[in-house]
Amino acid sequence: MKYILISLMLLICCGAIAQTDTKLTAILQDAVKGFNGQVGIYVHNLKTGKTAALNADTLFPTASMIKVSIQCGLMDKIDKGLIQYNQKLVYRDSLLYKGEDILGSFKDGDTIEVSKVAMLMITMSDNTASLWLQKLVGTDFINNWLDANGFKVMRDNSRATGRDAMHARYGWGVTTPFEMCRLFTMIGNEEAVSPAASERMIRNMGRIFWDNTALSQIPPYIHTISKQGALDDYRSETVLVNGPHGDYVFSIITNHNKDQRWTQDNEADEMIRKVSALLWHFFEPKSDWKPAEGMDKFMKDE
């Protein structure tokens, strides 16, 4: 029996090693060479099981990508009957997060449904909406959901018990490229909260306004779910692609970036586009699709 167990363990280990896509890993290493900042990438071909990783277990800030975790906490409370998806909320000026958010233009006393606040959080990455839902759900509830579902490091640091030091270091949230991809895979496989909750999240995450980086390099007729994050010295994007020849998920996170311009040709944004394009053509080698001529003038979201 002892030798059978050892043999099984060896088979599992060998299988894990065999799953690494060495060709794709080399392509990614070449693609990020010379980048002026820190880069983490994880790619998982969900059909073949093969993966490629660069600093995939390194801790990074999440910025707005933490909103996917807030969404999971919200859906869990809805699934438990603690919140209703069409529940009316009353907006208060005290909820305002200064910026250009749509929800921030509401007047004190205006009402809006939870469903629309969730849409604004994911589709528009509206910070006022996100912080409102985070408060409604509770940061500790969100982090407990992450912990219960096997996430070792991904956490919401804002207004969280015992996370002041992590908040000071990483900001709103912390994650790794690997755990971002794992969360998206759970949602895509309808394993996050419940099949119904996952389907709702897939619909929300499939209509992203901020589509001028990774999404711009994937044909518009291909279904994706995604979330982006951006700060002055930080750019990130996680995408699950329902490709014709198999689904794949990838997360690209950059930090401590030298180029902090909010322009289309920001170095990190350009690198994310480059990696997204090479992944599309790596997994769909017969595709000759590329962005239409003159598309740049229709991608100026800022």
Side-chain angles (χ1 to χ4, degrees):
M1 185 66 179
K2 177 181 177 182
Y3 295 107
I4 292 173
L5 288 172
I6 292 172
S7 298
L8 284 171
M9 288 176 68
L10 287 170
L11 283 170
I12 291 168
C13 291
C14 291
I17 293 169
Q19 293 291 76
T20 300
D21 193 322
T22 54
K23 180 180 178 181
L24 180 56
T25 301
I27 291 172
L28 291 174
Q29 288 171 336
D30 186 62
V32 305
K33 194 176 295 181
F35 178 73
N36 294 295
Q38 182 185 23
V39 185
I41 300 176
Y42 186 75
V43 184
H44 186 188
N45 183 324
L46 299 175
K47 182 177 181 180
T48 67
K50 289 188 176 182
T51 64
L54 303 178
N55 301 318
D57 293 317
T58 299
L59 296 183
F60 284 91
T62 61
S64 288
M65 290 199 300
I66 199 62
K67 295 167 186 176
V68 180
S69 301
I70 297 172
Q71 180 185 225
C72 288
L74 172 66
M75 294 302 166
D76 193 32
K77 280 210 163 179
I78 291 170
D79 200 57
K80 289 177 165 69
L82 302 173
I83 297 173
Q84 300 300 314
Y85 195 56
N86 65 343
Q87 181 177 322
K88 290 260 189 189
L89 301 177
V90 179
Y91 177 78
R92 296 301 180 193
D93 287 342
S94 59
L95 295 165
L96 176 65
Y97 182 91
K98 291 184 178 179
E100 298 180 1
D101 293 339
I102 291 173
L103 196 55
S105 66
F106 273 44
K107 295 178 181 178
D108 189 84
D110 283 349
T111 60
I112 185 172
E113 295 87 353
V114 167
S115 58
K116 293 177 182 176
V117 180
M119 178 275 292
L120 289 170
M121 175 176 71
I122 297 298
T123 300
M124 298 301 301
S125 205
D126 189 298
N127 286 321
T128 300
S130 306
L131 289 167
W132 192 2
L133 289 179
Q134 177 187 272
K135 183 178 180 181
L136 182 69
V137 175
T139 304
D140 290 347
F141 185 92
I142 295 163
N143 286 339
N144 287 338
W145 185 89
L146 289 167
D147 182 60
N149 283 275
F151 291 91
K152 304 300 182 185
V153 299
M154 187 190 298
R155 295 292 185 271
D156 186 335
N157 297 324
S158 173
R159 303 168 182 165
T161 302
R163 297 196 64 83
D164 290 350
M166 294 298 280
H167 191 216
R169 182 171 181 180
Y170 293 102
W172 197 344
V174 62
T175 191
T176 66
F178 168 77
E179 287 207 339
M180 284 307 308
C181 286
R182 181 170 176 265
L183 180 58
F184 273 60
T185 302
M186 282 181 66
I187 294 169
N189 287 341
E190 299 187 4
E191 297 168 347
V193 180
S194 68
S198 291
E199 283 192 14
R200 180 67 267 172
M201 289 191 278
I202 289 168
R203 292 183 187 279
N204 290 353
M205 296 167 67
R207 51 190 186 197
I208 298 295
F209 175 77
W210 305 102
D211 58 2
N212 61 343
T213 44
L215 295 182
S216 71
Q217 304 304 306
I218 300 165
Y221 47 82
I222 297 298
H223 185 265
T224 62
I225 63 172
S226 68
K227 191 69 194 76
Q228 302 68 31
L231 298 168
D232 287 344
D233 65 343
Y234 170 98
R235 299 289 192 280
S236 67
E237 191 152 2
T238 304
V239 186
L240 191 153
V241 182
N242 298 128
H245 293 90
D247 297 348
Y248 63 94
V249 61
F250 64 94
S251 184
I252 308 168
I253 310 180
T254 70
N255 196 23
H256 308 306
N257 302 344
K258 183 178 179 181
D259 186 352
Q260 299 185 17
R261 297 171 301 148
W262 290 90
T263 58
Q264 288 287 99
D265 62 344
N266 173 280
E267 183 187 20
D269 288 342
E270 292 281 31
M271 190 266 289
I272 291 172
R273 290 187 194 98
K274 179 181 179 181
V275 172
S276 179
L278 74 82
L279 289 174
W280 169 256
H281 291 290
F282 184 85
F283 293 122
E284 299 294 336
K286 293 184 179 180
S287 172
D288 59 1
W289 181 89
K290 60 182 179 180
E293 181 100 18
M295 197 65 210
D296 286 353
K297 61 175 170 278
F298 295 101
M299 286 291 178
K300 299 183 183 297
D301 294 333
E302 291 290 349

